Amino acid sequence: MNEQKKLEEGQEINLQFQKRDGLLPVVVQDYHSGEILMLGYTNPQALEVTLARKRATFWSTSRQALWTKGETSGDFLRIKEILIDCDQDALVYQVEKEGTGVCHTKDAQGTARTSCFYRKIDWHSLQLMPAKD
């Protein structure tokens, strides 16, 4: 089996961190509802911590540091499954929320939002509007 076929069809984990300067994008999805909650990035160290603690840990591109979601807010994300795409260069963390919020932004009532994807593009005006009506 050639290397590409091994990567795409094999059973060996061979994450392609070198493709994007040591980072892989991570889509975070609610394990039960399927809702997309956030997007983060992982590096080998963040993934190691995630696997050891079963809590979503990322590489913060703004702080240039490891960051476990919930350390400040208490809204941890417990890992249920980790999906790897065909090229082994992107991940999906399927999680259960341990708390109520996910996003660092807050709604009009001052409550942390349950997803970072709380807006959508209105096709007619090309303006942002709430994602949920």
Side-chain angles (χ1 to χ4, degrees), residues 104-124:
H104 70 279
T105 66
K106 301 196 182 327
D107 63 18
Q109 290 75 39
T111 305
R113 290 185 169 95
T114 59
S115 170
C116 292
F117 294 93
Y118 55 91
R119 299 176 292 179
K120 65 182 177 182
I121 296 173
D122 177 77
W123 290 106
H124 302 290

Side-chain angles (χ1 to χ4, degrees), residues 60-113:
S60 170
T61 56
S62 60
R63 294 184 297 244
Q64 296 293 296
L66 283 182
W67 160 62
T68 298
K69 174 67 183 104
E71 285 180 331
T72 304
S73 66
D75 293 327
F76 291 97
L77 300 173
R78 174 147 316 272
I79 301 291
K80 295 296 287 180
E81 299 281 351
I82 297 177
L83 307 178
I84 301 173
D85 81 329
C86 58
D87 294 325
Q88 295 201 39
D89 63 359
L91 303 174
V92 175
Y93 287 177
Q94 293 182 327
V95 302
E96 285 182 334
K97 294 184 230 175
E98 293 181 343
T100 56
V102 172
C103 190
H104 70 279
T105 66
K106 301 196 182 327
D107 63 18
Q109 290 75 39
T111 305
R113 290 185 169 95

Side-chain angles (χ1 to χ4, degrees), residues 32-43:
H32 299 287
S33 72
E35 180 182 19
I36 302 300
L37 304 176
M38 61 175 282
L39 173 73
Y41 295 91
T42 192
N43 63 10

Side-chain angles (χ1 to χ4, degrees), residues 10-62:
Q11 299 300 307
E12 187 175 323
I13 297 172
N14 187 9
L15 297 174
Q16 303 297 297
F17 287 104
Q18 73 281 2
K19 279 187 176 180
R20 294 182 185 91
D21 296 323
L23 298 177
L24 296 181
V26 180
V27 173
V28 180
Q29 179 183 41
D30 186 283
Y31 182 73
H32 299 287
S33 72
E35 180 182 19
I36 302 300
L37 304 176
M38 61 175 282
L39 173 73
Y41 295 91
T42 192
N43 63 10
Q45 185 181 8
L47 181 60
E48 184 178 314
V49 172
T50 296
L51 293 170
R53 296 183 185 166
K54 293 190 173 60
R55 284 191 167 162
T57 299
F58 304 94
W59 178 256
S60 170
T61 56
S62 60

